[in-house]
Amino acid sequence: IFLGMQVHNGAKLANTIVEAARNTNKLVAVNWIAAPEVAVQKLRENHIPVFPDPGRGIRSLAALVKYVARREQYLSKQSPDRPRPGALASATDASQLAQARAIIALARKEGRRALTEAEGKQVLELYGIPAPGRKLATSPAQAAKAGGDMGFPVVMKISSADILHKTEAGGVRLGVKDAKEAAAAFEDILAKAKAYNPNARIDGVLVEEMIANAAQVIVGFKQDARFGPVITFGMGGIFVELFRDFALRVAPLDEEEALAMIQETKAYHLLTGFRGDVKRDVAALAKVILAASRLALDFKDELAELDINPLMVLPEGKGAKAVDALLVLK
């Protein structure tokens, strides 16, 4: 019910609404601009939600609709003949789990806040999340050779668990096209990283395969104090802060929920051939979201958050690759 200013008959209107609500099994909600206090009190005493502006009211009702839909979906999976939520996200092999645990334990033993990017990608690959080919270089000559072995152009990035935001530190170079440029980029990246954080422990420079013709999205999780592992999906790359277009779910997930996350964002239109663009590998993207859910649950006491940004989603049937990965320890 939408109401404007009602100075003199607010109490009467509120009583009429309360009576109407008692005689229906439908939810009655009121958007009332500048409602008299007596009316607001009457409605709330009778458990009728009342909002001071229409926008807030509609958003609240939308949240309620989503909650009911998700609850019904969840309850439908609780019958004995249905797999439990997360069942389609098959468990990680015990040996792979042990390898991931060892990588995380080493970082914790060294008193680090996060894994290096190379370590993070190792963990992701153990969970079935592909990453680009890469080599760690500790000298300009090694960087040049790594780029040649991999095939130019390549991407070069500082490798340090103490520098979490590499771009801000000037620690990333895209499209490095030959050995000479790779050697020069190595020295420049190292110098800028040391200037950015003189106390940072630096492992070297990561030389990586450059991924082209892909859509950029973000997949990640955070360990919430109340809800546990919360999985995030949205538009990635430079658009993360600009659009803030995210879908959230509490782990564990199944394939249906992973696909629903993708479909409820604007990113979905970009992934499915917006304005004649090629269709992207949505099935592979869903598998990455499921793998992130498993990782979050397996290490809920060790890992605080994961950001894969960007995850490059390749054309249909070609998969997806984690180009950048940040795993933060609890």
Side-chain angles (χ1 to χ4, degrees):
I1 300 172
F2 290 84
L3 295 169
M5 294 182 69
Q6 301 284 342
V7 178
H8 301 298
N9 61 345
K12 182 181 177 182
L13 266 174
N15 284 323
T16 303
I17 292 167
V18 168
E19 188 62 30
R22 284 177 182 154
N23 291 298
T24 179
N25 60 1
K26 295 183 181 295
L27 169 69
V28 175
V30 180
N31 285 287
W32 197 332
I33 298 169
E37 186 56 37
V38 64
V40 173
Q41 186 176 342
K42 181 71 174 178
L43 292 171
R44 288 182 175 163
E45 282 174 358
N46 287 273
H47 311 294
I48 296 172
V50 54
F51 302 94
D53 72 89
R56 183 177 174 187
I58 291 300
R59 285 193 298 273
S60 299
L61 291 176
L64 181 60
V65 168
K66 286 180 182 178
Y67 164 75
V68 171
R70 288 175 188 170
R71 183 176 184 275
E72 288 176 351
Q73 182 186 56
Y74 178 82
L75 291 175
S76 73
K77 295 170 185 169
Q78 300 310 297
S79 59
D81 57 333
R82 291 293 301 272
R84 65 174 179 81
L88 293 178
S90 56
T92 303
D93 177 87
S95 66
Q96 294 172 317
L97 183 61
Q99 290 176 62
R101 202 172 293 285
I103 293 167
I104 293 165
L106 176 63
R108 188 176 294 282
K109 184 179 177 182
E110 293 178 354
R112 292 194 260 131
R113 290 176 54 215
L115 301 187
T116 65
E117 185 176 344
E119 289 171 333
K121 285 178 176 173
Q122 274 183 275
V123 171
L124 294 184
E125 286 173 333
L126 288 167
Y127 272 75
I129 301 175
R134 61 198 176 277
K135 291 184 178 180
L136 183 66
T138 56
S139 70
Q142 282 186 8
K145 185 177 186 307
D149 292 344
M150 207 167 296
F152 291 104
V154 294
V155 177
M156 295 177 64
K157 307 180 216 179
I158 193 68
S159 179
S160 170
D162 295 321
I163 300 176
L164 303 185
H165 303 290
K166 296 180 284 293
T167 304
E168 289 178 14
V172 180
R173 292 290 180 283
L174 304 176
V176 177
K177 62 180 183 295
D178 56 37
K180 183 179 178 182
E181 190 175 330
F186 178 95
E187 293 181 328
D188 186 52
I189 288 170
L190 217 61
K192 286 184 174 171
K194 287 176 180 176
Y196 179 78
N197 184 352
N199 299 316
R201 292 166 288 188
I202 295 173
D203 301 317
V205 173
L206 209 57
V207 182
E208 282 196 347
E209 166 195 8
M210 190 161 175
I211 306 298
N213 190 25
Q216 298 185 25
V217 299
I218 182 171
V219 173
F221 66 72
K222 285 191 177 180
Q223 303 288 358
D224 185 86
R226 290 188 178 182
F227 296 104
V230 177
I231 314 303
T232 308
F233 167 75
M235 202 174 292
I238 62 172
F239 301 112
V240 172
E241 297 299 330
L242 181 62
F243 292 114
R244 301 198 63 78
D245 177 39
F246 295 109
L248 302 171
R249 292 290 189 282
V250 176
L253 306 182
D254 62 17
E255 189 174 22
E256 186 180 347
E257 287 172 307
L259 289 170
M261 286 180 74
I262 299 167
Q263 290 164 0
E264 68 188 49
T265 65
K266 295 181 179 69
Y268 181 64
H269 302 292
L270 295 176
L271 296 166
T272 51
F274 182 71
R275 292 202 170 182
D277 193 11
V278 298
K279 291 184 178 181
R280 307 293 171 175
D281 202 333
V282 173
L285 170 57
K287 288 179 181 176
V288 172
I289 294 172
L290 290 174
S293 170
R294 292 204 320 273
L295 178 62
L297 285 167
D298 287 345
F299 291 95
K300 61 184 178 183
D301 296 324
E302 291 93 357
L303 294 175
E305 62 183 91
L306 163 69
D307 275 329
I308 306 174
N309 182 30
L311 176 77
M312 306 293 263
V313 187
L314 298 163
E316 211 165 20
K318 301 290 186 181
K321 291 193 176 184
V323 168
D324 200 357
L326 173 61
L327 272 164
V328 179
L329 302 178
K330 267 194 171 181

